[in-house]
Amino acid sequence: MSQMQRVIGRLSASLIVALGVGLATQAALAGTRVPEAEIEGLFSGVTLDGIYNNGAFFSETYSEDGSVRYHDVDGSDSGQWSVRDGKFCTFYDSQEGACFFVERDGANCFTFFVPEETGGANAGPAKEWTSRGWDRRKPSTCPTAPEIHL
């Protein structure tokens, strides 16, 4: 084996290891609850494109001043966003809002869960996710890519 073949072999092995570490890191993030202390930093100044669990698309911009601008196929709205009791909250001028537990699904996917209805003040997240969103400036890492159904 020539020296060039050995170098190429080492580089290939290094790339495979790096790829594996990257995939392992992404897998480690899947389904991980985002701590309250990190939520504001993740969403402040960010526009999330997303999909509800019923397949409807939305886009939402979270400004640094706590205001939110929402868009979907039915129109747009504005309101306020905040972090309360470990949850990400959005409340709007013309429609209902809520607070959500946030889980990270990969490097650029956030899955939102409403609190379990019967859990009272200490309720955990509901079993079914409400929506998924990703920072539009980066490729989505959400488990199911959004699809348009005509």
Side-chain angles (χ1 to χ4, degrees), residues 54-103:
N54 68 3
F57 291 94
F58 70 91
S59 180
E60 201 161 51
T61 300
Y62 311 107
S63 297
E64 291 89 353
D65 66 1
S67 63
V68 61
R69 188 81 177 134
Y70 174 86
H71 302 275
D72 66 15
V73 295
D74 295 324
S76 62
D77 203 351
S78 56
Q80 298 294 311
W81 72 273
S82 61
V83 179
R84 298 181 194 163
D85 300 322
K87 294 179 268 315
F88 179 69
C89 304
T90 52
F91 292 96
Y92 307 96
D93 297 337
S94 304
Q95 59 183 322
E96 211 173 307
C99 294
F100 304 90
F101 289 99
V102 182
E103 288 187 4

Side-chain angles (χ1 to χ4, degrees), residues 7-21:
V7 169
I8 290 172
R10 280 189 220 124
L11 284 173
S12 296
S14 295
L15 285 172
I16 290 169
V17 168
L19 195 69
V21 168

